[in-house]
Amino acid sequence: RSVKVEGRYYDVGTKNKSFLITANELRTLGINNWYFMLEIKYPQFNISDIDPFDPNLTPDQIGKIHIESAANLWYWLREIAPIPAQGSPKPYSLVLTRASCAATWCYIHGIDFLLCQPRQTWKTTIAMLLTEYSFIYKYNNVIIPFLHITEPRCMENAGVFRSYVDSLPNYMNPFYGKKKMGLKSLKYEEHNTSIKIVASADSPIKAKDKLRGLTLFSLLGDEWEFIPHINYVLTGASPAVISGRKIAAENGLKTCMMYVSTPGDPETPQGKAAEKIIAATPRFSERFYDLTEEQVACLFDGMEMEVEGEEKKQQVTSVYIEFNYKQLRKDDKYLREQYAEAVKTGDVVEYRR
């Protein structure tokens, strides 16, 4: 079920059909490297024939799964990455879309991103999974902040994160067999990596201090377009982000700050601040998928580079990703239902932009 293309192997028979659908969407758009999310790093392991959730796996098979997962985020998202849901007897698999594909590509290449999607299209899901992957496979001695509008919303995300980790196979779950951790003390003890709850501030001065004193390698900012004084939060975080990038580069790692949101309200101060941030951020282009690794490195490392089809050269340290409902396989019925519910609750801000 795997094919070899230019020395690399790809799983064209994956059971996760959303990855095949996304690949075909990119091919239809004219992307030459449309199949990259199907890659297998270690075809000699016959990893496609191993069920990661088989309760009778051998130590050798478990070792192969860990090796492939640590080297290949796409495999982990495609074949493992369980997503628990209320009312469902078992977790779901990730439904890859063009948006989550873009976010994952940026994460792999160490490019910070601002991701804007309509509600109920899994924007927080992909950011949560990427954070989970960082937590398990990527970092040691790191604090990963969770940002949200209020502390209860931060705590809610921490609870979701814990449930994601607990849904992993036991051999991959760092919490397995241990006393249940509180939401403010989530930590991978063996790696000394923890989650930090960060709620919004009530003044610009306090906002600037929210992330000061940290060295940032990763961050999950949920509904960032609605966070008060978000521009001051980002300004205060800049030294921590730069420091994290430097240390990561020295150790062969990548960093990624992830900000996800539904469209903000342009009539509010935080919405206006978000609009200015978005306007100053280069847009993500799916043409990036056809760049060589050297070209991507030039973009991120501060050397200006011309991308085919773009009007001017751009230096990329972060990108803005936005997809509409039709690009995410939703139809007009979905839009009507979402708008009707928004009208009932008086929450129609995302339809203003």
Side-chain angles (χ1 to χ4, degrees):
R1 69 185 238 188
S2 64
V3 297
K4 185 178 182 180
V5 180
E6 296 182 355
R8 295 187 176 187
Y9 290 81
Y10 301 89
D11 185 356
V12 296
T14 177
K15 294 179 181 178
N16 192 326
K17 301 306 179 185
S18 70
F19 278 70
L20 299 175
I21 292 171
T22 301
N24 190 57
E25 287 172 339
L26 295 181
R27 179 170 60 176
T28 301
L29 291 169
I31 305 301
N32 295 322
N33 184 29
W34 50 270
Y35 42 81
F36 59 88
M37 73 294 292
L38 304 173
E39 187 173 8
I40 301 171
K41 294 290 188 182
Y42 296 98
Q44 65 269 34
F45 290 169
N46 295 317
I47 199 74
S48 299
D49 298 326
I50 302 175
D51 178 2
F53 294 93
D54 185 342
N56 300 309
L57 290 173
T58 66
D60 180 65
Q61 289 174 317
I62 290 174
K64 290 176 178 177
I65 292 170
H66 275 306
I67 292 171
E68 182 71 29
S69 295
N72 187 358
L73 170 57
W74 292 115
Y75 164 79
W76 186 83
L77 290 173
R78 193 172 64 234
E79 309 298 341
I80 308 177
I83 302 169
Q86 292 183 356
S88 175
K90 62 179 182 178
Y92 291 94
S93 297
L94 170 66
V95 176
L96 190 72
T97 65
R98 288 168 62 188
S100 52
C101 183
T104 303
W105 186 91
C106 287
Y107 172 94
I108 289 172
H109 290 90
I111 301 174
D112 301 346
F113 62 82
L114 313 172
L115 174 62
C116 181
Q117 294 179 224
R119 64 183 64 204
Q120 300 299 316
T121 56
W122 315 297
K123 61 175 174 49
T124 305
T125 298
I126 187 60
M128 195 73 71
L129 290 174
L130 296 175
T131 302
E132 182 183 8
Y133 183 82
S134 293
F135 188 78
I136 295 169
Y137 281 114
K138 196 168 181 181
Y139 296 130
N140 290 276
N141 304 311
V142 165
I143 295 173
I144 303 175
F146 275 17
L147 278 69
H148 213 306
I149 304 168
T150 64
E151 183 168 309
R153 298 289 294 276
C154 283
M155 297 289 285
E156 182 181 337
N157 271 359
V160 171
F161 178 82
R162 184 174 64 187
S163 70
Y164 276 33
V165 175
D166 282 337
S167 297
L168 290 167
N170 293 341
Y171 61 83
M172 196 175 285
N173 177 3
F175 301 155
Y176 179 69
K178 299 177 181 178
K179 182 180 178 181
K180 191 171 185 177
M181 294 183 181
L183 297 181
K184 287 189 174 182
S185 56
L186 295 176
K187 187 175 185 179
Y188 191 163
E189 294 287 354
E190 290 79 2
H191 291 181
N192 193 32
T193 297
S194 59
I195 302 298
K196 179 180 176 65
I197 302 297
V198 181
S200 60
D202 57 10
S203 72
I205 293 176
K206 292 180 180 179
K208 281 187 176 182
D209 290 337
K210 278 293 178 179
L211 297 172
R212 275 193 176 148
L214 298 176
T215 300
L216 292 177
F217 295 85
S218 185
L219 174 153
L220 196 168
D222 197 4
E223 296 296 359
W224 73 273
E225 293 193 37
F226 299 87
I227 296 177
H229 312 297
I230 183 61
N231 48 331
Y232 293 97
V233 174
L234 299 185
T235 298
S238 291
V241 172
I242 294 171
S243 178
R245 284 179 187 158
K246 182 176 183 297
I247 294 172
E250 291 171 351
N251 290 276
L253 298 172
K254 298 285 188 181
T255 65
C256 186
M257 309 302 124
M258 301 176 284
Y259 298 91
V260 301
S261 186
T262 48
D265 185 349
E267 296 181 5
T268 64
Q270 53 267 42
K272 291 177 181 177
E275 283 193 325
K276 288 182 179 180
I277 294 168
I278 291 169
T281 306
R283 281 205 170 234
F284 176 83
S285 169
E286 287 169 317
R287 288 188 291 272
F288 290 169
Y289 298 146
D290 284 336
L291 297 177
T292 65
E293 292 301 314
E294 292 75 15
Q295 289 172 323
V296 173
C298 285
L299 281 170
F300 179 70
D301 289 342
M303 294 174 60
E304 287 191 346
M305 178 178 175
E306 187 170 3
V307 180
E308 183 180 352
E310 298 290 342
E311 293 182 359
K312 59 181 181 180
K313 294 182 179 181
Q314 298 187 36
Q315 177 183 337
V316 178
T317 56
S318 64
V319 294
Y320 175 68
I321 306 169
E322 181 177 311
F323 288 90
N324 63 43
Y325 70 100
K326 289 186 177 180
Q327 292 171 317
L328 301 177
R329 307 182 202 125
K330 299 294 184 180
D331 56 19
D332 290 337
K333 180 176 180 292
Y334 152 87
L335 183 63
R336 289 194 298 270
E337 290 175 345
Q338 293 294 322
Y339 185 73
E341 289 299 315
V343 170
K344 288 180 185 178
T345 61
D347 184 20
V348 295
V349 295
E350 71 178 88
Y351 300 99
R352 295 177 185 167
R353 199 170 78 190

